[in-house]
């Protein structure tokens, strides 16, 4: 199966508690990290692919290699193979470290890397996967899945925020536990319901 997520911000203590930008109800980053890991591994299996659309972690430990080691340990504990699309908080050196320590997982390698984005086809639609929301104009059958804007949504029906803080899971019937990647079926439901919602606004 394919899953989608963004903006996990592992280790990012400034998002805890009363943060104005993306408040998260955790007392410690350890609690936040563990919650994301547990909820992720509840739904993702070893052979699943998870597209992570950027802003993996924020950890300023020095030397940088020590931070990369801790981030690698967290990512390696997540089920599935990770397709990583670089976010604005993701250092290129982190990607180099992950690539150096890449290893077989499931039926492929643990990590795959994209600097800007990836285009995939799923259920007769094309999905452009990016960190930043893209203003693509009217392009039939292309949906932009993105992160970056945390608890905001782009007022365009073709843009779907799949980050862990997204408000667009309100289009789903079920509540998604924090940090759980969205399945392809859930993404399809969000696309369909957002289109219906926008059609009503005309």
């Amino acid at each position: 199966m394919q899953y989608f997520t963004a903006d996990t911000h592992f280790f990012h203590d400034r998002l805890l508690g009363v943060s104005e930008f993306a408040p998260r109800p955790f007392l410690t980053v350890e609690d936040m990290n563990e919650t994301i890991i547990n909820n992720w591994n509840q739904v993702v299996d070893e052979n699943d692919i998870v597209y992570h659309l950027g802003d993996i972690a924020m950890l300023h430990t020095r030397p940088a290699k020590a931070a990369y080691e801790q981030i690698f340990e967290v990512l390696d504990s997540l089920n599935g193979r990770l397709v990583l699309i670089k976010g604005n908080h993701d250092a290129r050196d982190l990607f180099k470290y992950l690539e150096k320590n890449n290893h077989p997982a499931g039926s492929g390698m643990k990590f795959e890397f994209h600097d800007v984005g990836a285009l995939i086809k799923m259920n007769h639609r094309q999905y452009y996967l990016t960190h930043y929301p893209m203003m693509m104009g009217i392009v039939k059958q292309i949906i932009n899945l993105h992160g970056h804007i945390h608890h905001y949504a782009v007022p365009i029906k073709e843009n779907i925020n799949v980050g862990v803080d997204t408000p667009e899971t309100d289009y789903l019937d079920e509540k998604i536990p924090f940090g759980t990647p969205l399945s392809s079926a859930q993404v399809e439901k969000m696309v369909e319901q957002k289109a219906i919602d926008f059609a009503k606004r005309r």
Side-chain angles (χ1 to χ4, degrees), residues 9-186:
H9 282 256
F10 289 112
F11 300 102
H12 193 176
D13 57 359
R14 293 185 66 185
L15 296 185
L16 303 181
V18 295
S19 164
E20 292 181 8
F21 184 59
R24 297 180 176 180
F26 303 101
L27 295 177
T28 66
V29 291
E30 290 78 15
D31 188 24
M32 179 179 72
N33 291 355
E34 185 178 352
T35 297
I36 296 173
I37 293 166
N38 289 341
N39 288 337
W40 178 305
N41 289 341
Q42 285 290 318
V43 299
V44 178
D45 291 329
E46 180 183 358
N47 285 304
D48 293 334
I49 296 175
V50 182
Y51 292 90
H52 191 305
L53 309 188
D55 284 4
I56 299 164
M58 284 281 284
L59 182 60
H60 298 297
T61 300
R62 292 290 179 261
K65 183 182 176 186
Y68 301 157
E69 287 172 350
Q70 291 182 66
I71 295 168
F72 172 82
E73 186 177 336
V74 166
L75 295 182
D76 206 36
S77 72
L78 298 171
N79 289 346
R81 292 182 287 134
L82 279 62
V83 180
L84 303 174
I85 292 167
K86 189 177 179 299
N88 57 299
H89 291 299
D90 299 323
R92 185 161 274 104
D93 284 345
L94 169 62
F95 275 31
K96 289 178 181 177
Y97 181 88
L98 295 175
E99 188 168 23
K100 182 179 178 182
N101 292 278
N102 208 355
H103 60 84
S107 57
M109 298 299 287
K110 183 68 177 180
F111 305 115
E112 180 182 322
F113 308 93
H114 295 272
D115 267 357
V116 178
L119 187 66
I120 66 169
K121 189 168 184 179
M122 185 173 69
N123 298 329
H124 308 291
R125 282 196 184 97
Q126 291 186 77
Y127 288 85
Y128 189 36
L129 314 179
T130 60
H131 178 63
Y132 301 101
M134 304 294 289
M135 303 300 112
M136 300 176 66
I138 300 171
V139 184
K140 288 186 177 180
Q141 300 301 321
I142 296 183
I143 302 295
N144 176 215
L145 302 185
H146 63 84
H148 185 62
I149 56 176
H150 290 263
H151 64 273
Y152 295 99
V154 176
I156 298 172
K157 65 181 176 62
E158 290 83 10
N159 290 71
I160 302 291
N161 180 358
V162 296
V164 297
D165 306 300
T166 178
E168 299 197 279
T169 52
D170 288 349
Y171 287 121
L172 300 174
D173 296 328
E174 71 273 25
K175 181 173 173 55
I176 306 299
F178 183 79
T180 306
L182 296 162
S183 69
S184 55
Q186 288 168 328

